[in-house]
C-alpha cells in the first residue's frame, strides 16, 4: 500500500476514534501500531504479509518506548503535577484566593477579578488548566453566588481564568510541546510569561466592562474589612509568590533548569505545608496518589503520540506536504491563517493534549520550512489551545466548571459567561501574532 494513502487512513481512524470519545492514548497507540505493521508488511506493489510486518513493528515500538521513557525532560511532568496537588492540599491555592477576595472585594466585580487572579496564581503553581478550573470552581463560584453574582459572570470568569494554566509557567502543554519539537523548555516557559499576563489583564478588563454595563451582575461588597484582616490577607499571599519566584525567577536567572525548578519548588511547597501545619501525612499520600494517576495518564498519551509521530515520519507525509506547498508557494500569512483557523476548529471538538500530539507532526515542519521561530509558534499554538478550552461544543473547562458548581449554574450559563471573555482572548491572539517580541523578549534576554 502506498505510504501516503496508509497515513491518510490511519489519521482518519484516529480522528474517528477520538470523535467517538475513545481515550487519546488508545486511539493514537492502536492506530499507530497497526499502521506500523501494515507499513512494514504491505509494501507498494505487493500483497499483505502480516508476519513480515509484525517483527520490525514490534522492535520499533519497543525501541521508541524505551528511548522516550528515558527522556530526562519527562521527569519534570510528575514534579510539576505533584507541586500542584501538594499546593492544593496545603491550602496554598485556597489561601491565595481568600487573600485576593478580601483585598479586591470592594471593586465592581471584585470577587470575579479575585477569582481570575487566583486562577493565574494557581496556574503559576500547577501548570494545569483543567486542575485550575476544577479547584477554583469549587472555591470561587459558590462564593460569588453567595454574594448575588450572576451565574454567567461567576462561572465564566473561572472557566476563562482556568485557561491561564496553559500559558503561565510551568505549563504542562509547553513541556509536551518542547519534547515533541525538541525546543528548550526553559525558553518556552519564559515565552509564556508576558502572553499569560496580557491574557490576565484582558480578562480583568472584560469583567470591568461587564460590571460597568450590568452592575447588578457583579455587585460591590460594602462590608468593612479591618486593618488586621488586610494585613493577614497580604501575608497569606507569600507562599504563592515564593513558589512562583522559585520557578520563574530561578529559570530566568539561570540558577535552575526547568526540571531542577520543579524539584525545588515541590520540596519548598511540602516544607511550607508542614511548617504551617496544613499538610498532614494523609494529605501528602493523597497528593502522591493523584500525582501518580495524572502522570500515568499523560505518559500513556505521550508514548502513544511518540509511536504516531514515528509512523508519520516513516510514511513521509510531511515531506509530501512540504513539496506540495513548495509547488503552490502560498504566502506565509495565508499558511499561518489556515493553521490558526484549523486549530480553532479542531479545538471545538478535541482536548488540548490530543490536539497537540496529533497536529505537531504536520504543522511544525511547515512552520520550520518558512523559517519561523518555533518558540513563538509554540506560544501561538498554546494560546489557540487555551481558547479551545472555552469554545463550544466541547470546551473542556466549561464542563469541568459545570461539574463542580451548584445546580443553579447551568451549562448554557457557563458557555455564555465564558463567551464574553473570548472577545479579548482573540485580541490577545492577534497581538501575539502581529508582535512576536511579546513572546520572544524574555527568552532572548534571559541569562
Amino acid at each position: 500500500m502506498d505510504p501516503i494513502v496508509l497515513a491518510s487512513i490511519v489519521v482518519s481512524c484516529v480522528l474517528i476514534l477520538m470523535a467517538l470519545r475513545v481515550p487519546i492514548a488508545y486511539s493514537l497507540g492502536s492506530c499507530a501500531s497497526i499502521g506500523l505493521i501494515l507499513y512494514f508488511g504491505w509494501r507498494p506493489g505487493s500483497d499483505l504479509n502480516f508476519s513480515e510486518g509484525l517483527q520490525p513493528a514490534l522492535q520499533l515500538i519497543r525501541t521508541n518506548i524505551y528511548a522516550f521513557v528515558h527522556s530526562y525532560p519527562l521527569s519534570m511532568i510528575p514534579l510539576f503535577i505533584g507541586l500542584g496537588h501538594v499546593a492544593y492540599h496545603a491550602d496554598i491555592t485556597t489561601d491565595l484566593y481568600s487573600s485576593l477576595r478580601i483585598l479586591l472585594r470592594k471593586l465592581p466585580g471584585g470577587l470575579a477579578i479575585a477569582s481570575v487572579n487566583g486562577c493565574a496564581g494557581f496556574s503559576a503553581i500547577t501548570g494545569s488548566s483543567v486542575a485550575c478550573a476544577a479547584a477554583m470552581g469549587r472555591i470561587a463560584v459558590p462564593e460569588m453566588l453567595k454574594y448575588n453574582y450572576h451565574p454567567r459572570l461567576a462561572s465564566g470568569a473561572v472557566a476563562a481564568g482556568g485557561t491561564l494554566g496553559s500559558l503561565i509557567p510551568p505549563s504542562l502543554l509547553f513541556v509536551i510541546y518542547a519534547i515533541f519539537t525538541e525546543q528548550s523548555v526553559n525558553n518556552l516557559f519564559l515565552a509564556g510569561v508576558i502572553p499569560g499576563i496580557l491574557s490576565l489583564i484582558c480578562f480583568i478588563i472584560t469583567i470591568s466592562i461587564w460590571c460597568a454595563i450590568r452592575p447588578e451582575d457583579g455587585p460591590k461588597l460594602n462590608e468593612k474589612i479591618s486593618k488586621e484582616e488586610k494585613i493577614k490577607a497580604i501575608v497569606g499571599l507569600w507562599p504563592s509568590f515564593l513558589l512562583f519566584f522559585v520557578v520563574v525567577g530561578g529559570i530566568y536567572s539561570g540558577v535552575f533548569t526547568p526540571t531542577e525548578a520543579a524539584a525545588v519548588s515541590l520540596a519548598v511547597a511540602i516544607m511550607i505545608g508542614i511548617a504551617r501545619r496544613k499538610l498532614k501525612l494523609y494529605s501528602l499520600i493523597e497528593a502522591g496518589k493523584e500525582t501518580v494517576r495524572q502522570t500515568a495518564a499523560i505518559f500513556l498519551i505521550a508514548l502513544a503520540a511518540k509511536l504516531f509521530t514515528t509512523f508519520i515520519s516513516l510514511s513521509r507525509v510531511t515531506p509530501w506536504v512540504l513539496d506540495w506547498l513548495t509547488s503552490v508557494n502560498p504566502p506565509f500569512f495565508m499558511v499561518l491563517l489556515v493553521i490558526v483557523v484549523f486549530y480553532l476548529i479542531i479545538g471545538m471538538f478535541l482536548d488540548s493534549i490530543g490536539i497537540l500530539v496529533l497536529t505537531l507532526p504536520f504543522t511544525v515542519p511547515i512552520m520550520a520550512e518558512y523559517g519561523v521561530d518555533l518558540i513563538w509558534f509554540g506560544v501561538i499554538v498554546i494560546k489557540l489551545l487555551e481558547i479551545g478550552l472555552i469554545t463550544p461544543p466541547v470546551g473542556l473547562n466549561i464542563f469541568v466548571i459545570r461539574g463542580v458548581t451548584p445546580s443553579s449554574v447551568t451549562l448554557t450559563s457557563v458557555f455564555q459567561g465564558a463567551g464574553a471573555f473570548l472577545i479579548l482572548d482573540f485580541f490577545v491572539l492577534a497581538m501575539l501574532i502581529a508582535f512576536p517580541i511579546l513572546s520572544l523578549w524574555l527568552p532572548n534576554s534571559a541569562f
Side-chain angles (χ1 to χ4, degrees), residues 135-281:
M136 292 301 296
R138 291 188 184 97
I139 300 169
V141 175
E143 182 75 10
M144 284 186 275
L145 295 178
K146 175 183 173 182
Y147 287 99
N148 298 318
Y149 273 61
H150 196 287
R152 285 198 297 267
L153 176 57
S155 58
V158 178
T163 65
L164 294 170
S166 300
L167 275 178
I168 295 178
S171 165
L172 294 181
L173 291 180
F174 272 140
V175 175
I176 295 173
Y177 178 90
I179 292 171
F180 280 91
T181 60
E182 299 181 352
Q183 296 299 306
S184 166
V185 179
N186 185 4
N187 287 341
L188 283 165
F189 279 178
L190 295 176
V193 173
I194 293 178
I197 294 173
L198 186 60
S199 298
L200 171 61
I201 292 172
C202 285
F203 289 162
I204 294 173
I205 292 173
T206 300
I207 295 170
S208 300
I209 294 173
W210 187 327
C211 292
I213 297 173
R214 293 179 57 88
E216 67 276 11
D217 286 359
K220 293 182 181 181
L221 304 183
N222 296 318
E223 299 175 358
K224 290 185 178 181
I225 304 298
S226 67
K227 184 178 180 181
E228 290 74 17
E229 287 180 303
K230 291 181 180 179
I231 294 174
K232 185 179 179 181
I234 294 172
V235 172
L237 296 173
W238 75 264
S240 300
F241 278 101
L242 177 60
L243 291 176
F244 182 75
F245 176 78
V246 169
V247 176
V248 178
I251 292 174
Y252 182 79
S253 63
V255 175
F256 301 133
T257 65
T259 305
E260 291 168 347
V264 172
S265 58
L266 175 58
V268 170
I270 293 174
M271 288 188 289
I272 290 173
I274 294 174
R276 299 168 75 207
R277 297 183 179 180
K278 291 190 175 183
L279 186 63
K280 307 299 182 182
L281 179 60

Side-chain angles (χ1 to χ4, degrees), residues 81-91 266-274 278-293:
I81 292 174
L83 170 62
H85 288 300
V86 167
Y88 177 74
H89 284 283
D91 286 343
L266 175 58
V268 170
I270 293 174
M271 288 188 289
I272 290 173
I274 294 174
K278 291 190 175 183
L279 186 63
K280 307 299 182 182
L281 179 60
Y282 172 79
S283 299
L284 193 57
I285 292 173
E286 283 300 307
K289 290 179 180 178
E290 292 163 359
T291 300
V292 169
R293 284 193 289 265

Side-chain angles (χ1 to χ4, degrees), residues 2-17:
D2 182 74
I4 303 297
V5 175
L6 177 60
S8 301
I9 294 173
V10 168
V11 173
S12 299
C13 289
V14 169
L15 291 174
I16 291 171
L17 289 176

Side-chain angles (χ1 to χ4, degrees), residues 48 64 102 107 116-117 123 145 154 207 242 254 307 336 367:
L48 172 63
N64 271 266
I102 291 173
L107 295 175
V116 169
N117 279 277
S123 302
L145 295 178
I207 295 170
L242 177 60
L307 293 179
L336 181 61
M367 290 293 99

Side-chain angles (χ1 to χ4, degrees), residues 241-425:
F241 278 101
L242 177 60
L243 291 176
F244 182 75
F245 176 78
V246 169
V247 176
V248 178
I251 292 174
Y252 182 79
S253 63
V255 175
F256 301 133
T257 65
T259 305
E260 291 168 347
V264 172
S265 58
L266 175 58
V268 170
I270 293 174
M271 288 188 289
I272 290 173
I274 294 174
R276 299 168 75 207
R277 297 183 179 180
K278 291 190 175 183
L279 186 63
K280 307 299 182 182
L281 179 60
Y282 172 79
S283 299
L284 193 57
I285 292 173
E286 283 300 307
K289 290 179 180 178
E290 292 163 359
T291 300
V292 169
R293 284 193 289 265
Q294 193 174 348
T295 301
I298 292 177
F299 272 37
L300 278 176
I301 294 171
L303 288 172
K306 180 61 176 176
L307 293 179
F308 178 77
T309 303
T310 301
F311 168 73
I312 293 298
S313 177
L314 287 173
S315 65
R316 298 190 60 79
V317 170
T318 304
W320 179 81
V321 173
L322 293 177
D323 289 341
W324 177 80
L325 280 176
T326 301
S327 63
V328 176
N329 195 28
F332 169 71
F333 178 77
M334 184 63 67
V335 174
L336 181 61
L337 180 61
V338 169
I339 289 177
V340 167
V341 172
F342 169 72
Y343 271 107
L344 289 174
I345 293 174
I346 199 172
M348 296 179 183
F349 302 96
L350 302 178
D351 66 277
S352 299
I353 295 179
I355 295 171
L356 203 60
V357 299
L358 185 63
T359 59
L360 289 182
F362 305 100
T363 57
V364 168
I366 293 174
M367 290 293 99
E369 182 72 13
Y370 279 91
V372 169
D373 190 312
L374 293 183
I375 298 294
W376 170 76
F377 181 64
V379 173
I380 300 301
V381 169
I382 301 304
K383 183 60 185 177
L384 288 166
L385 297 181
E386 183 181 275
I387 292 173
L389 288 170
I390 55 174
T391 51
V394 176
L396 188 57
N397 271 18
I398 304 294
F399 289 92
V400 169
I401 294 296
R402 177 61 199 90
V404 300
T405 52
S407 57
S408 59
V409 180
T410 64
L411 190 63
T412 301
S413 65
V414 185
F415 268 119
Q416 290 174 342
F421 292 86
L422 282 174
I423 299 172
L424 288 186
D425 234 1

